[in-house]
Amino acid sequence: MQKAVDILCACTLFQTEIERNPAQRKGFTSLNKRYYRSQADFAFKIIPLNPEVGLKFIKRRYGYDESNEFPPFPMIRPRECTDRKIAAKDSLLVSLGKLLMSSSTPLRSRIFRVINQFNSTFVDSIPAIPFPKALEGYFYKDVVALATAFEMLLIPNYTGRDKNRKLCLSLIKLFKGNEEIEHSDRIVRGKKEMEIEAPWKGWWLCWFYQLRNDIVHGEKLSFKDLEWSHNPYAGLYTEVAIKVFRLALMKTLVDEQLHTETEVDTWQANKLDEWLSTKRKYFPSAREAAFGFWKLEKELKSRDEA
């Protein structure tokens, strides 16, 4: 049952549209007010049921959102959980559902451990404090947890020293059949420099994992370091990671013949570098007119070749 819940939580998260106003970059996006897996700590708050009958109380807390109703009725789920349905047309959801029903294999076990690790980053335990400084520690923890999910997905059982470069190359390999935008830059850590010339998706992962290293090694960081600066509309590293992770998981399943890549999958994979490297406001979707033209051009070309 937990695996089924993890699949639904991850696929819900993958469909979340993140909107960000660059003019308010020090604030948070709507993502931080959405919960995808309940991790209630039940640090109960005492609420008087009826002062007239003496000291009888109900103590309830779900995540950090307290109920103000009187009398306070027990809640089956957090009120913040979305009512939006995940339709069966979500091809990745269908593929993961089939994997869940299949026989147990080492690959199957790893995929579900990866999804569980990914979900653990997005829980309902972040305090509702509107000041970035007060939340930096939570986002540092999230970066480390997400970086671990990428390691488990892309370089399982890897014991080498240069994980950063290995992750970068592994991600690029997954997208070898898609459009790319090359970029060259350096990652500097102390006296160590690493020259990277790779598609933007690989370069993004290198910077993300370097941020993870800086956090783990106690480097002095600011909230600004948690933002992906090359596209002010994309959001924090942890928000960008949702889209990158979904495509990396999809490609991994395709390589293992566990998923059939859809036209939308291909379109998003083709446009990933463009989204990471420019001021494209939204992650590529099937609602764009450009997707319709691309699909039509692809069909015409297929007819001509036939």
Side-chain angles (χ1 to χ4, degrees):
M1 183 63 71
Q2 183 60 56
K3 292 182 178 65
V5 171
D6 283 343
I7 291 172
L8 289 170
C9 288
C11 289
T12 301
L13 186 55
F14 293 150
Q15 291 189 10
T16 299
E17 295 182 3
I18 300 171
E19 297 182 4
R20 202 160 204 251
N21 183 351
Q24 300 173 339
R25 290 180 61 184
K26 291 185 179 181
F28 298 108
T29 66
S30 58
L31 176 66
N32 303 309
K33 298 178 182 178
R34 298 281 300 280
Y35 307 143
Y36 304 96
R37 191 174 89 171
S38 171
Q39 186 168 300
D41 56 16
F42 291 103
F44 296 132
K45 178 180 178 65
I46 298 176
I47 306 172
L49 279 177
N50 190 340
E52 296 180 0
V53 296
L55 299 176
K56 289 188 177 181
F57 300 88
I58 185 170
K59 299 185 292 183
R60 188 201 69 80
R61 185 173 186 267
Y62 211 134
Y64 67 76
D65 186 43
E66 299 169 355
S67 173
N68 294 321
E69 293 98 342
F70 188 85
F73 295 101
M75 298 173 63
I76 302 301
R77 62 175 185 173
R79 71 182 68 227
E80 298 82 3
C81 283
T82 178
D83 288 324
R84 294 167 61 184
K85 295 180 179 179
I86 303 299
K89 64 182 180 182
D90 182 343
S91 61
L92 188 60
L93 173 64
V94 173
S95 295
L96 288 171
K98 290 179 180 178
L99 181 62
L100 177 62
M101 300 302 293
S102 66
S103 301
S104 179
T105 64
L107 173 65
R108 177 184 180 275
S109 298
R110 179 169 68 88
I111 291 297
F112 287 121
R113 288 200 307 272
V114 167
I115 294 173
N116 183 273
Q117 176 67 25
F118 173 78
N119 283 342
S120 69
T121 307
F122 304 97
V123 297
D124 65 349
S125 57
I126 298 176
I129 304 173
F131 304 107
K133 272 290 181 183
L135 287 178
E136 286 179 7
Y138 288 91
F139 287 103
Y140 294 160
K141 172 181 65 67
D142 293 345
V143 168
V144 176
L146 268 176
T148 301
F150 275 102
E151 288 183 61
M152 294 168 65
L153 178 66
L154 298 174
I155 53 172
N157 304 316
Y158 181 73
T159 57
R161 299 185 63 181
D162 198 349
K163 286 186 177 180
N164 197 322
R165 184 178 292 276
K166 183 67 175 177
L167 276 168
C168 173
L169 295 175
S170 297
L171 184 68
I172 293 170
K173 185 178 179 181
L174 284 177
F175 292 82
K176 59 182 179 294
N178 295 105
E179 298 173 10
E180 297 178 345
I181 300 176
E182 292 287 326
H183 183 71
S184 179
D185 212 315
R186 288 184 178 182
I187 287 181
V188 181
R189 177 178 169 78
K191 296 181 180 180
K192 181 180 178 182
E193 291 189 11
M194 183 166 62
E195 183 78 29
I196 300 173
E197 186 169 351
W200 272 87
K201 61 182 74 68
W203 193 68
W204 174 87
L205 186 55
C206 281
W207 268 111
F208 178 67
Y209 200 77
Q210 185 58 43
L211 176 62
R212 175 264 180 202
N213 290 341
D214 289 342
I215 292 170
V216 169
H217 291 98
E219 296 288 334
K220 186 177 180 180
L221 299 170
S222 67
F223 186 78
K224 188 175 181 181
D225 294 319
L226 299 173
E227 298 177 316
W228 176 240
S229 60
H230 293 276
N231 184 346
Y233 294 94
L236 304 175
Y237 272 100
T238 49
E239 295 167 334
V240 176
I242 295 171
K243 303 302 185 184
V244 179
F245 186 87
R246 191 265 179 196
L247 289 174
L249 175 62
M250 180 272 294
K251 289 286 188 179
T252 299
L253 295 177
V254 169
D255 280 358
E256 298 292 340
Q257 298 181 332
L258 297 172
H259 176 72
T260 300
E261 187 169 338
T262 66
E263 289 182 323
V264 176
D265 290 337
T266 303
W267 168 254
Q268 292 178 337
N270 282 342
K271 296 300 178 181
L272 181 58
D273 278 2
E274 181 180 321
W275 182 61
L276 291 171
S277 62
T278 70
K279 295 183 179 180
R280 182 187 183 107
K281 291 187 177 182
Y282 304 106
F283 185 73
S285 74
R287 295 191 301 272
E288 298 178 29
F291 171 71
F293 289 123
W294 172 81
K295 187 176 177 181
L296 178 60
E297 183 180 355
K298 182 181 175 184
E299 291 175 356
L300 293 175
K301 183 178 179 181
S302 178
R303 291 179 185 177
D304 289 342
E305 291 176 350

